[in-house]
Amino acid sequence: MDRAPLPPGIEPAELAWHDGVPESIRFGDVYFSPDNGLEETRYVFLQHNQLPERFAQIPEGGNFVIAENGFGTGLNFLAAWQAWQRHAPAHAATLHFVSVERFPLTHEDLARALAKWPELAALADELLLHYPPLVRGVHRLVLAGGQVRLTLFFGDITDAWQSLDFQADAWFLDGFAPSRNPDMWLENIINKIRAHSRPGTTLATFTSVGRIRRALMEAGFRMEKTVGYGRKRDMLKGVLVSENPAPTEQQESIAIIGAGVAGCALARNLADRGYPVTLIDAHGPGTAASGNAQGALYVKLGVEFNDQTELALTSLTFAQRFYHNWRDQHWHPTGLLQLAHNPQEADRQRRFLQRNDYPRSIFYPVTREQASALTGVPTESGGLWFPGSGWLEPAHLCKELANHPLISTLFHSEVNNLRRSAGTWSISTENNRSITADRVVICSGHLSPELIPTKGRFRLKAIRGQVSHLPATALRGPTAVICGNRYLNPALGEFAVTGATFDLRDNNPSPTVESHNENIDELGSMLPAVFSNESNALRGEELNGRVAFRCTTHDYQPVAGPVFDGETGDLDSLYLLTGLGSKGLTYAPLLAEYLGDLLTGQPPCLPANLAKRLETRRLYQTNVVVS
Ligand SMILES: Cc1cc2nc3c(=O)[nH]c(=O)nc-3n(C[C@H](O)[C@H](O)[C@H](O)COP(=O)(O)OP(=O)(O)OC[C@H]3O[C@@H](n4cnc5c(N)ncnc54)[C@H](O)[C@@H]3O)c2cc1C
Ligand SMILES: C[S@@+](CC[C@H](N)C(=O)[O-])C[C@H]1O[C@@H](n2cnc3c(N)ncnc32)[C@H](O)[C@@H]1O
């Protein structure tokens, strides 16, 4: 009997191969036709959903959503992407492809299956570069410079269509044959397909089974049997009929207050989708918490695989894909060691490894000897090695993200008033600038609460942190990031950033000698061998460094979504993205993608449980004084 893997692992597909055509051993059926799978896909799914014609009509900043039952080898996805390249208009527009897979192919099998299609090689290579690790949950892949967005749910179809929020323009119903794969064709799945469709949504499927045709008709689709591909006699196509036409989206003006990593990632996200934005900051991009010379890309994955852990994991893997665009510029994927730096952490890591099953591409346990070899510093213990992680140059990254023709910047302008009147937001700044916007996103870090114009209070607090710049000559390595009770990055030129202090109830904005000494002492106890002989005299008085304030929520989880106003519920024109705590570099890319989805009315990249985890409502309190 099959044993389900420990979370967050998922069973991969087991395949048999016949002349390059994969067959599922579990279902006893092939993934695509041995005759000419690519032509069959084009005929059944592209042609019978009229995709070339419909793609050509997408307006500027618009999008088209394809949903698919069964991702398999990704052949249908690549064929749709290729059609998008050929037929979509020249202006900015997005193809969304939402698919589900209960038994994903391994990276190796996917490469082997797609090698059959030389004309899709460039697209297949990009898919393979970003193909997510085999862990349950939702993976958003941003491809073709953002023109194509793939939302891949690894898990069962019932859960997928329950927890994802989207409206498809076209469906590819591509389970294995209904007799072999009945779960994909159940009535409740057909009802979900209906629920995720809108007037005019089309569908196509290779099957012509009468029961399925009738169920789709009962759900409201006008169905038609038509000639199948090659030797297959029939296939089905359908359209959801309705009296009421689907509403068309209006492009509204958007302003973002705060140009840290959160605001810059969001501005860039929207601009890449063809949405103009105004980015406002009291100083400039990457000048507050996001202004450090170096920062580590790390998360602490919980012993229990709960929503919090899922959010951290999804953020980490998304961030690694996102930063790949800046590899060797502002992103340095050197690998990262989470050191078992004391008995408690060693015990936590032991329990964590017993209860979970993560692919090695995310992390794997290493001995003390391996840890020392991987980081170039003799360590006192082993730990967890994250091969795809590393360190960033956040200040530079922010500047780069904010540099886009569709981003208008208003820097050195501190917002002192945010007011809603006559259906728009008026934003006034200290230097007497005034702009209006239909929608506003507050990304102002620890100063966000001062800007939220609601009667209640939000449970957000500022936590001081100081990093120290250690002279490279005082260190032996490291060649990779090492995290424990402090983190240490590989040197960037003449110094390496270590940090950071965590100073509750301290609002001193200047670096102090005490904080430098604390950083040196903590690093010394975690990694005694890291200091070279010349560093005997390493003293806080002689170090440079930097202070900034993290923005943290009461539950230490980030917040992203419409602002909750106790009286009216969620506001539809005011959003908040903050509370990134000590892990802003990891959370910001995914949460910017999520808000980008919400603001453009495109399918959200997060399932319902994670979207709920991020809600502003959980922070809202009436008349409570925040400590
Ligand atoms: C010392 C230290 C070390 C850290 N190290 C790491 C690390 O290694 N890895 C990691 O992932 N995270 C790290 N963090 C956390 C990370 O830096 C933050 O989570 C992240 O930078 C927060 O980004 P943000 O955009 O939300 O806020 P910020 O970067 O603080 O940006 C907020 C912006 O809003 C602007 N603003 C505020 N009010 C107004 C207003 N009224 N009008 C106009 N503009 C306004 C500010 O000028 C600022 O530019 C560290 C934090 C600190 C303090
Ligand atoms: C015919 S294949 C899909 C082929 C795919 N569209 C392609 O382009 O290669 C059907 C897929 O549905 C998946 N599947 C079967 N049962 C499922 C379920 N209950 N939930 C999600 N996926 C399922 C199978 O693992 C298989 O990959």
Side-chain angles (χ1 to χ4, degrees), residues 168-217:
D169 294 295
W171 280 92
F172 295 180
L173 304 189
D174 194 23
F176 289 121
S179 54
R180 295 172 190 268
N181 191 191
D183 289 359
M184 290 288 259
W185 304 95
L186 297 172
E187 204 178 313
N188 72 323
I189 301 296
I190 288 175
N191 290 338
K192 284 273 178 279
I193 290 170
R194 166 67 184 86
H196 287 293
S197 300
R198 52 182 155 213
T201 295
T202 58
L203 63 81
T205 175
F206 61 86
T207 187
S208 59
V209 170
R211 175 183 71 76
I212 288 162
R213 183 163 64 100
R214 285 189 295 280
L216 285 163
M217 284 165 71

Side-chain angles (χ1 to χ4, degrees), residues 80 116 178 206 213 228 258 304 574 580 620:
K116 196 167 169 60
F206 61 86
R213 183 163 64 100
E304 303 300 328
L574 184 66
L580 307 183
Y620 185 85

Side-chain angles (χ1 to χ4, degrees), residues 27 30-32 41 68-77 100-103 105 155-158 174-176 181 183-184 206:
F27 294 101
V30 285
Y31 282 78
F32 46 76
T41 284
E68 177 189 54
N69 286 3
F71 186 73
T73 67
L75 173 62
N76 291 346
F77 166 62
V100 55
E101 183 50 62
R102 171 74 183 80
F103 304 100
L105 268 66
D156 192 76
I157 190 165
T158 312
D174 194 23
F176 289 121
N181 191 191
D183 289 359
M184 290 288 259
F206 61 86

Side-chain angles (χ1 to χ4, degrees), residues 102-402:
R102 171 74 183 80
F103 304 100
L105 268 66
T106 61
H107 190 274
E108 201 186 345
D109 282 339
L110 193 75
R112 185 170 170 190
L114 294 177
K116 196 167 169 60
W117 317 111
E119 66 168 293
L120 299 176
L123 307 188
D125 285 349
E126 195 173 339
L127 172 64
L128 284 161
L129 178 68
H130 294 280
Y131 191 62
L134 298 201
V135 289
R136 292 175 213 175
V138 184
H139 307 275
R140 165 64 61 84
L141 276 59
V142 180
L143 302 161
Q147 288 170 41
V148 176
R149 288 180 140 84
L150 170 63
T151 307
L152 198 46
F153 187 105
F154 281 167
D156 192 76
I157 190 165
T158 312
D159 300 331
W161 296 162
Q162 181 68 32
S163 64
L164 289 176
D165 176 16
F166 65 92
Q167 296 287 291
D169 294 295
W171 280 92
F172 295 180
L173 304 189
D174 194 23
F176 289 121
S179 54
R180 295 172 190 268
N181 191 191
D183 289 359
M184 290 288 259
W185 304 95
L186 297 172
E187 204 178 313
N188 72 323
I189 301 296
I190 288 175
N191 290 338
K192 284 273 178 279
I193 290 170
R194 166 67 184 86
H196 287 293
S197 300
R198 52 182 155 213
T201 295
T202 58
L203 63 81
T205 175
F206 61 86
T207 187
S208 59
V209 170
R211 175 183 71 76
I212 288 162
R213 183 163 64 100
R214 285 189 295 280
L216 285 163
M217 284 165 71
E218 266 167 41
F221 289 91
R222 189 172 63 222
M223 297 301 301
E224 198 182 311
K225 204 190 250 189
T226 179
V227 183
Y229 180 77
R231 282 175 286 170
K232 293 182 188 150
R233 213 172 54 164
D234 306 310
M235 60 161 279
L236 294 175
K237 65 174 187 169
V239 59
L240 186 67
V241 280
S242 167
E243 308 278 292
N244 310 316
T248 46
E249 291 279 335
Q250 295 280 349
Q251 228 190 57
E252 297 185 322
S253 56
I254 302 172
I256 297 170
I257 308 175
V261 65
C264 291
L266 178 60
R268 182 57 172 262
N269 190 294
L270 291 164
D272 280 343
R273 296 185 204 222
Y275 279 66
V277 278
T278 305
L279 180 62
I280 309 169
D281 199 281
H283 307 286
T287 46
S290 311
N292 288 340
Q294 296 186 298
L297 187 70
Y298 72 109
V299 287
K300 204 159 184 179
L301 300 168
V303 172
E304 303 300 328
F305 191 77
N306 52 22
D307 291 347
Q308 198 166 311
T309 311
E310 186 179 343
L311 181 64
L313 174 64
T314 310
S315 299
L316 177 70
T317 54
F318 184 86
Q320 289 172 350
R321 293 193 291 271
F322 175 79
Y323 292 130
H324 184 81
N325 298 322
W326 291 278
R327 198 186 157 100
D328 300 329
Q329 291 173 285
H330 317 305
W331 165 229
H332 306 270
T334 52
L336 178 148
L337 176 70
Q338 221 162 63
L339 195 64
H341 60 97
N342 61 28
Q344 292 77 17
E345 177 59 13
D347 181 55
R348 199 196 76 86
Q349 290 190 4
R350 191 184 47 74
R351 285 181 291 117
F352 171 65
L353 289 167
Q354 268 171 4
R355 289 198 209 169
N356 295 281
D357 175 16
Y358 284 84
R360 280 175 72 86
S361 61
I362 298 177
F363 75 80
Y364 53 91
V366 288
T367 61
R368 175 183 168 175
E369 291 71 28
Q370 290 166 327
S372 305
L374 285 163
T375 60
V377 178
T379 61
E380 302 278 291
S381 61
L384 306 176
W385 174 249
F386 289 71
S389 234
W391 61 276
L392 286 142
E393 299 175 48
H396 286 141
L397 178 79
C398 289
K399 287 183 185 65
E400 179 92 18
L401 288 171

Side-chain angles (χ1 to χ4, degrees), residues 257-264 280-292 294-298 413-416 443-448 450-451 463-467 487 489 499-501 546-551 577-588:
I257 308 175
V261 65
C264 291
I280 309 169
D281 199 281
H283 307 286
T287 46
S290 311
N292 288 340
Q294 296 186 298
L297 187 70
Y298 72 109
S413 302
E414 184 179 337
V415 174
N416 59 9
C443 299
S444 310
H446 72 287
L447 298 175
S448 300
E450 294 176 15
L451 289 170
I463 299 181
R464 179 185 186 273
Q466 179 172 322
V467 288
Y487 63 79
N489 296 291
T501 61
R546 199 170 170 275
V547 169
F549 294 86
R550 308 169 180 91
C551 177
L577 168 51
T578 191
L580 307 183
S582 302
K583 302 187 179 62
L585 301 177
T586 305
Y587 285 128

Side-chain angles (χ1 to χ4, degrees), residues 496-520:
V497 172
T498 189
T501 61
F502 198 86
D503 311 316
L504 295 161
R505 298 188 187 82
D506 181 349
N507 57 9
N508 183 352
S510 306
T512 64
V513 171
E514 293 73 42
S515 292
H516 281 319
N517 284 333
E518 185 188 319
N519 280 336
I520 300 169

